[in-house]
Amino acid sequence: MSVKDRITQWVRPEVQALSAYHVADAAGLIKLDAMENPFDFPAALKAELGADLRDAAINRYPDPDAGAIRAALRELYSLPDAVDMLFGNGSDEIIQILAMAVAGPGRTILSVEPSFVMYKMIATFIGAEYVGVPLNDEFQIDAQATLDAIKRHQPALVFIAQPNNPTGNLFDDETLRQIVAASPGLVVIDEAYTAFTDADYMSWASEYDNVVIMRTFSKVGLAGLRFGMLFGPQEWIEQLNKVRLPYNINCLTQNAVLTAIRHFPEFVKQTEALREQRSWLNAQLGEVAGVTVYPSEANFILVRLDPSAKSVFNEMKKRGVLIKLLDGGHPKLAGCLRLTVGGREENEAMLKALIESLEAVRG
Ligand SMILES: *Cc1c(COP(=O)(O)O)cnc(C)c1O
């Protein structure tokens, strides 16, 4: 039997049909494709981080509950006692844990589209049905269609990214409350971009018994650490914890996260600088002919172009700037690019590359 035959026979057909999550090669390019924080740590913080990592007991298994982080986060986010937490190797792992906990024949995971692609991918990994309800042309939730879909499909899980990726906007509270009320299962509010917006849904985790709040340190400036957080009612967290692998947060990550929490004001300073850069970039993009700019509450800006987005993307790459091509990913994103907000110099370089590329494509 050939390898090909074995794979055809044994790898689940839905997995065979998937393409792996694509990460673009950014070597030598200004990297503005993945919502990373462009700022480096101050030297003193680096020295402290070095010492904290040196002291990690890497011969021992890590604390399975990450107890020190729990205590630090309870204070950082002023969590009420009723709200418990669970950590993941990035929030991607938390999405997987949530999906595994509800998986089974006939189970549905629902989200809106376009949104974060991992919701659908992970639903596919675990063999759940996935339902994506289209957003309207302003990228807002179509309340009626979404409530109808919830009623019809009775989803075990509903994922809402707030603000949404890749569109950057916030959905309105009233619609979200209707979704929570209509949902028979758990509603996950994914606040990956909480650092870049004043909107904050943490209180919903104690107000409702079927809402959990997901956050991550990735977009704040620690994407390399892989640390995601889920906050919610103790009863839900207890069940989810059974599916979590016991030592999923390694001791180097635990120590680094603690260092980061101690210096959280530094990250707040950086994310505030990025919010200012977002306003600047938004205003500049508004001046460029043939570019529609969508309002953003995150550290990226969605734009729609008149000429071919794919050609502009390639021209920008030739000019040394990597951004995210969304055209081709979802019908509602035809002509769209996603621009991560960087530091001022990177943003200027990106803007220049965009303007030159638009001219090159128009000929
Ligand atoms: C980036 C992102 C995540 C994933 O974050 P990690 O913690 O890096 O896995 C989750 N949700 C949304 C909406 C994101 O944009």
Side-chain angles (χ1 to χ4, degrees):
M1 211 186 201
S2 70
V3 176
K4 192 168 166 291
D5 290 340
R6 288 181 208 271
I7 288 173
T8 307
Q9 182 175 354
W10 293 109
V11 176
R12 283 164 33 219
E14 59 270 34
V15 173
Q16 290 187 51
L18 280 174
S19 4
Y21 186 84
H22 175 68
V23 179
D25 180 9
L29 301 173
I30 295 179
K31 192 172 185 311
L32 294 169
D33 66 328
M35 284 78 85
E36 290 145 326
N37 174 337
F39 303 125
D40 202 358
F41 282 13
L45 209 165
K46 271 193 179 169
E48 192 176 324
L49 178 65
D52 289 341
L53 295 180
R54 185 191 59 213
D55 293 343
I58 56 171
N59 56 319
R60 303 287 178 195
Y61 282 105
D63 175 356
D65 298 316
I69 296 178
R70 264 165 206 284
L73 282 176
R74 206 166 266 295
E75 198 177 307
L76 180 70
Y77 292 144
S78 309
L79 298 180
D81 289 343
V83 170
D84 203 351
M85 50 199 123
L86 171 143
F87 308 131
N89 192 356
S91 34
D92 287 349
E93 191 192 21
I94 296 178
I95 301 169
Q96 189 187 47
I97 289 171
L98 285 157
M100 285 192 298
V102 303
R107 298 302 179 88
T108 296
I109 294 177
L110 182 143
S111 189
V112 293
E113 278 188 1
S115 187
F116 188 47
V117 292
M118 291 310 292
Y119 306 146
K120 182 180 182 177
M121 284 190 78
I122 289 174
T124 308
F125 298 166
I126 59 113
E129 295 294 322
Y130 172 81
V131 173
V133 185
L135 297 171
N136 69 21
D137 289 343
E138 284 74 49
F139 295 129
Q140 286 298 329
I141 293 177
D142 181 338
Q144 200 52 57
T146 307
L147 295 173
D148 287 349
I150 290 171
K151 195 166 172 196
R152 191 164 54 233
H153 297 284
Q154 295 289 297
L157 284 176
V158 175
F159 283 101
I160 303 284
Q162 175 79 334
N164 191 35
N165 173 12
T167 59
N169 58 304
L170 286 168
F171 302 124
D172 76 273
D173 280 8
E174 196 39 49
T175 305
L176 295 186
R177 286 191 188 279
Q178 288 176 330
I179 288 172
V180 171
S183 292
L186 190 60
V187 177
V188 184
I189 300 183
D190 181 350
E191 292 191 329
Y193 299 96
T194 185
F196 305 98
T197 178
D198 295 333
D200 181 340
Y201 291 81
M202 191 63 91
S203 65
W204 290 27
S206 25
E207 188 177 334
Y208 294 101
D209 64 13
N210 65 330
V211 172
V212 289
I213 306 297
M214 191 162 67
R215 290 185 179 177
T216 173
F217 276 1
S218 294
K219 313 293 155 63
V220 179
L222 299 160
L225 277 188
R226 309 302 298 130
F227 186 73
M229 300 153 271
L230 190 74
F231 303 93
Q234 188 268 328
E235 295 90 335
W236 281 106
I237 300 289
E238 185 185 340
Q239 297 302 318
L240 297 169
N241 246 322
K242 298 177 188 173
V243 191
R244 182 180 64 85
L245 296 175
Y247 303 114
N248 64 330
I249 310 296
N250 73 69
C251 66
L252 295 175
T253 298
Q254 291 196 27
N255 281 17
V257 165
L258 286 168
T259 315
I261 295 174
R262 268 202 308 280
H263 292 279
F264 214 70
E266 187 61 42
F267 296 100
V268 173
K269 222 162 68 191
Q270 295 185 349
T271 49
E272 269 168 10
L274 289 171
R275 285 166 79 152
E276 278 169 31
Q277 282 305 306
R278 176 179 68 199
S279 313
W280 179 82
L281 189 58
N282 188 71
Q284 298 292 314
L285 288 166
E287 303 288 311
V288 184
V291 176
T292 306
V293 189
Y294 291 90
S296 171
E297 290 278 317
N299 62 340
F300 59 84
I301 296 178
L302 179 75
V303 294
R304 198 188 294 271
L305 308 183
D306 262 349
S308 154
K310 183 150 195 221
S311 307
V312 171
F313 169 82
N314 287 328
E315 287 293 327
M316 287 180 75
K317 207 163 155 186
K318 275 194 222 159
R319 288 168 175 77
V321 179
L322 181 68
I323 46 133
K324 178 80 175 180
L325 176 67
L326 296 171
D327 185 291
H330 190 276
K332 294 239 177 216
L333 297 172
C336 287
L337 300 175
R338 188 187 64 198
L339 316 172
T340 296
V341 178
R344 180 60 171 256
E345 277 178 21
E346 291 172 306
N347 294 338
E348 281 175 358
M350 172 170 66
L351 197 62
K352 183 165 174 279
L354 174 66
I355 292 167
E356 288 176 9
S357 300
L358 282 165
E359 281 166 8
V361 171
R362 286 196 190 106

